[in-house]
Amino acid sequence: MDLKIDALTHRYGTTEVLADINLDIPTGRIVCVVGPSGCGKSTLLRFIGGLERPTEGQVMQLSDPPADSLNPFTFVFQDFALLPWRTVDGNVRLVLEDHGLGKAEMDRIITDVLTRTKLADFADALPKNLSGGMKQRVAIARALAVRPAVWLMDEPLSALDAQTRELLMDDLVGLWLRTPFTAVYVTHNLAEAVRLGHRIVVLSRRPGMVRKVIDIETPLENRTAGDPALAAIEQELWQLMRDEAEAADQELIA
Ligand SMILES: Nc1ncnc2c1ncn2[C@@H]1O[C@H](COP(=O)(O)OP(=O)(O)OP(=O)(O)O)[C@@H](O)[C@H]1O
């Protein structure tokens, strides 16, 4: 589903958090949003997901969500947000309940998404028995199950160690190559943005304004570690972020 963020500004009380954000989110593309702490990245996701309304401007849906989408705007969070008393199967099943699906259809969807996230052998496991990477794969399976029109991903890999993060990035690329999805992906990690983003949006410190939009033409499947073109983009991102991050850091201390 194509989205357009149009002149979006938001204030909490007298504090301006986002200022005049204009941004296109095309269907089938991963749009990464980077920026210093507190610049409004998570707030922007909430507006896109319709959880809050901005003070000014709007998020426009330029096309309809797919007819079979059970939850057009689906969040994936850093902390996995799994129910500890439900099994892997039960956590995925939860989001399918109340949609009028028969048991056989639910079972079919669950088998499919657990297979796609390499969790087929862990359907009966409880979250407490899973590694961080597996927990996040459950969260991804749960999102796949409802066939989102747009994935809203808020630092989904930030709680994971570096190796697990690499594996999960490969998994996300694999899932996207199989069925391209639309995502807005918030991250602090520039390497992650360069690995996963078709478009990278750099926000300034608060109030978050769009400082730069970088489109990366290299197909996701060709983004190998050490690629000089990608390294140059990461370096450019860091140059842009550095001043903003330093200034934001000073503001937090002051
Ligand atoms: N409900 C709210 N009421 C008041 N202020 C809020 C609310 N939600 C967020 N803020 C403030 O808005 C600003 C932006 O917050 P937000 O969480 O969107 O930033 P962020 O870029 O996602 O930060 P981080 O990278 O640290 O997660 C912060 O100063 C935060 O304190």
Side-chain angles (χ1 to χ4, degrees), residues 12 17 35-44 46 52 154-155 186 188 206:
Y12 285 117
V17 176
S37 268
C39 74
K41 302 181 293 297
S42 300
T43 304
L44 185 61
R46 291 199 297 279
E52 287 183 55
D154 199 349
E155 300 192 41
V186 166
H188 278 113
R206 196 183 69 201

Side-chain angles (χ1 to χ4, degrees), residues 76-82 135-136 139 154-156 159:
V76 177
F77 297 106
Q78 177 179 347
D79 65 1
F80 322 127
L82 302 179
K135 283 182 194 160
Q136 194 53 292
D154 199 349
E155 300 192 41

